Amino acid sequence: MTVSYLKSAFGAGVATAFLTLGATAPAQAEDLTLCWASWDPANALVALSKDFEAKSGHKMSFEFVPWPNFADRMLNELNSGGKLCDLMIGDSQWIGGAAENGQYVKLNDFFGKEGIKMSDFIPATVTGYAEWPKGSPNYWALPAFGDVVGWSYRKDWFSRPELQAEFKQKYGRDLAVPKTFAELKDIAAFFQNREIDGNKVYGAAIYTERGSEGITMGAMDVLYSFGFEYQNPDKPYELEGYVNSDKSVKGLEFYKELYNCCAPPGSSDAYMSENIDAYKSGQVALQMNFAFTWPGIHADPKVGGDKSGYFANPAGPDGVQFAQLGGQGISVVAASDKQDAALEYIKWFAQPDIQAKWWQLGGYSALRAVVEDPGFATSQPYAQTFLDSMAIVKDFWAEPSYASLLQASQKRFHNYVVAGQGTAKEALDGLAADWTEIFDDEGKY
C-alpha cells in the first residue's frame, strides 16, 4: 500500500463522517467475543482489534472455526440461542434466517444515531451482507469483508517464450489472461499434464467439495456467466425454465468438462484450502478461489510477487460476465448480554481510518471511501481485480431455508460433475424440483 494512499484514506475530511469512540466509552469494560471462520483475514482482524481494545477499554476474545465446520457450528449457536458470540461475522446467505428468526439485532436505529450510512459502502455488499428482505432498507449487519470468486494464474509460466510460441501455434492467439471461459478452458488444457522445470503440472484447480458449499460456489460462478437465473425476475420463486434453462445446462456441462479435462489428480472434494495448496505447491497454472487468498499468494516465497497474476471471472458464450459473491457482514447477536459494547465495536470498525488499516492488513474493506480512493487500484497487484470482480457479483439464495437449498445443489452438482451421474439437464431439472418443493413447504406458492 502506498504512503500517499494511506494519507488520503486517513484524511480528516473523510474521518469526520463518523463519530469517534473517545467520549462514549462506558465506565465498565466488557469482555466481548467475536465469532468468525478460521482463516488469514481472521488473524488480520485480531491485529486490527487491538486498536479497539486500547480506545474502548473492552477486551476482545475470538472464536474462529475452520470453514468446513463453520456453518454447522455457528448456525447451531444461533439456533440454540447460545451466548458464546456477542459479535458474529456470518456468511452472506445466513442473513434471511438470522433476521426472520430474531437472531441478529436490527441496526437501522443504531446506524441512524451514529451517522453510519449504507450508501457509503459498495452497493453489492450492502445487498449481499446487510439487507433483509433484499432490496429493502432493513439492515442486520455492517459490510465487513468484501469477497468474490476470481482467479490467480502463474504469470511467470505464461511469459515463457517457448510456451507462448507453442500456444499461439496451437490456438492462434497469445497466451494471456482469458476473456472468456472458452479461452480459460483452452489455457487449462494447454497446461494439463505438461512438464515445467522437471515437474508435472496441471491446468486448473476448481471447486468440487461436497460437504459444505464448495461445488455450489464453483458451479454457480460459471453458470452465472452462461445465463443462469435463480427465478423468474417478474415472478419470485418461479424456477422452471430459469434454473434449468438451456443456457444453465450448457454452463453446467462446461463445468464438468473443465473438471474432466484439466483438474489436478485428487480434486474430487476440493475447496478453498485444497486449491490454495495445489497452487502454492506449483501444481496448477490456474486457480479458482475467493479474493481473500490473493494477499497470501502475493507474499508466498514460491509463487508470490511477479510470479502470479490475478483476473476477474471471464465472460460466458454470450458476453455475459458475473462472479460468485463471497464475504460477510458483522452483526450483533441478539442473545448477547453485551449488545451496547458490541455496537461500540461496529461503530469503531466503520470508521474510514480503521477500514483503511483493515485493507492494509489483508482485510477487504467494503467502504467506498477506501476502495474509491485514487490510490486504491494500484495499492496492491490484485486491487484492480478486486474492484472489477465486485462490480459483477451475484449471490446464492439468502432465504431462511438457505441450508436446505444448499444441500440440494451440493448433491445435484456433485453427483453430475464429479460422480458422472446422469446429464446436466437431469441435474438441473432435479434441482429445480428440489428447490420448488422447499419453497412450497414454506408457503411461497
Side-chain angles (χ1 to χ4, degrees):
M1 182 169 293
T2 61
V3 174
S4 61
Y5 166 66
L6 285 174
K7 285 183 177 177
S8 63
F10 295 166
V14 177
T16 52
F18 294 93
L19 299 176
T20 58
L21 287 170
T24 61
Q28 182 176 353
E30 300 272 18
D31 291 338
L32 293 173
T33 299
L34 186 153
C35 296
W36 199 12
S38 177
W39 57 336
D40 287 347
N43 299 328
L45 189 63
V46 172
L48 183 72
S49 297
K50 294 185 185 303
D51 179 88
F52 173 76
E53 291 181 320
K55 290 178 178 176
S56 69
H58 301 308
K59 177 175 172 52
M60 294 298 299
S61 297
F62 300 90
E63 183 74 16
F64 297 146
V65 180
W67 273 113
N69 311 110
F70 176 55
D72 284 347
R73 174 71 179 84
M74 291 307 162
L75 290 175
N76 285 339
E77 181 69 20
L78 290 175
N79 292 334
S80 68
K83 296 183 180 295
L84 169 65
C85 311
D86 304 297
L87 292 150
M88 183 172 290
I89 303 183
D91 241 351
S92 57
Q93 291 91 358
W94 305 357
I95 199 78
E100 293 197 6
N101 296 325
Q103 295 163 343
Y104 287 166
V105 173
K106 190 175 182 181
L107 297 175
N108 288 56
D109 291 345
F110 170 73
F111 286 165
K113 175 186 174 185
E114 301 298 345
I116 299 174
K117 299 176 182 177
M118 289 295 96
S119 59
D120 289 333
F121 292 83
I122 300 171
T125 67
V126 176
T127 300
Y129 311 155
E131 289 179 356
W132 189 261
K134 297 300 180 185
S136 74
N138 296 283
Y139 305 120
W140 307 87
L142 181 90
F145 188 86
D147 206 358
V148 58
V149 175
W151 296 82
S152 11
Y153 72 101
R154 287 300 300 267
K155 194 174 180 180
D156 55 342
W157 295 357
F158 278 44
S159 66
R160 295 192 177 195
E162 70 279 12
L163 296 182
Q164 289 180 335
E166 183 183 342
F167 185 88
K168 189 157 191 175
Q169 182 178 17
K170 184 171 183 178
Y171 294 101
R173 65 175 189 275
D174 291 335
L175 177 56
V177 168
K179 296 183 175 65
T180 66
F181 271 111
E183 292 182 358
L184 184 146
K185 184 182 165 191
D186 286 345
I187 293 169
F190 177 76
F191 280 102
Q192 184 75 356
N193 293 317
R194 180 174 293 275
E195 186 173 300
I196 294 181
D197 297 334
N199 299 311
K200 192 173 185 179
V201 303
Y202 304 94
I206 62 173
Y207 292 161
T208 59
E209 181 261 359
R210 171 70 175 86
S212 62
E213 64 175 16
I215 197 165
T216 297
M217 296 294 99
M220 296 311 308
D221 190 58
V222 171
L223 264 63
Y224 295 143
S225 294
F226 275 73
F228 173 96
E229 294 283 354
Y230 282 102
Q231 58 190 335
N232 183 343
D234 300 318
K235 190 175 181 181
Y237 307 109
E238 181 179 296
L239 312 183
E240 184 65 32
Y242 296 89
V243 170
N244 54 349
S245 69
D246 291 343
K247 291 182 177 180
S248 300
V249 169
K250 288 178 180 172
L252 191 56
E253 288 173 342
F254 175 90
Y255 199 70
K256 180 173 177 55
E257 290 167 6
L258 186 61
Y259 170 72
N260 286 343
C261 81
C262 308
S267 296
S268 62
D269 195 33
Y271 197 20
M272 294 178 283
S273 60
E274 290 80 10
N275 284 11
I276 292 170
D277 290 344
Y279 187 80
K280 286 187 175 181
S281 64
Q283 291 184 57
V284 292
L286 301 165
Q287 178 201 195
M288 164 191 276
N289 224 326
F290 285 105
F292 86 87
T293 61
W294 298 342
I297 289 170
H298 181 59
D300 188 80
K302 185 172 182 178
V303 301
D306 292 338
K307 293 179 181 177
S308 288
Y310 314 90
F311 61 91
N313 223 27
D318 298 324
V320 176
Q321 187 178 15
F322 290 105
Q324 173 61 49
L325 181 70
Q328 303 89 30
I330 182 170
S331 301
V332 175
V333 178
S336 169
D337 296 326
K338 305 169 185 175
Q339 291 182 15
D340 288 345
L343 288 169
E344 278 189 69
Y345 186 91
I346 290 183
K347 176 180 174 181
W348 163 83
F349 186 71
Q351 297 174 100
D353 62 332
I354 299 302
Q355 286 291 302
K357 291 176 185 175
W358 181 219
W359 167 247
Q360 182 186 24
L361 289 171
Y364 281 86
S365 174
L367 188 67
R368 291 174 61 187
V370 174
V371 302
E372 293 176 3
D373 182 277
F376 180 86
T378 56
S379 62
Q380 295 288 359
Y382 44 80
Q384 184 62 58
T385 302
F386 173 69
L387 294 177
D388 294 342
S389 298
M390 290 301 295
I392 57 171
V393 292
K394 283 193 176 188
D395 200 10
F396 189 75
W397 296 106
E399 298 282 330
S401 55
Y402 145 78
S404 298
L405 296 164
L406 182 61
Q407 287 171 355
S409 61
Q410 284 288 102
K411 178 181 177 181
R412 296 289 183 180
F413 290 155
H414 199 274
N415 284 352
Y416 169 67
V417 172
V418 177
Q421 298 177 10
T423 67
K425 182 71 164 63
E426 290 168 345
L428 290 170
D429 285 346
L431 184 59
D434 293 342
W435 285 354
T436 298
E437 182 179 353
I438 291 167
F439 288 133
D440 188 41
D441 290 343
E442 288 197 327
K444 300 292 188 184
Y445 302 109

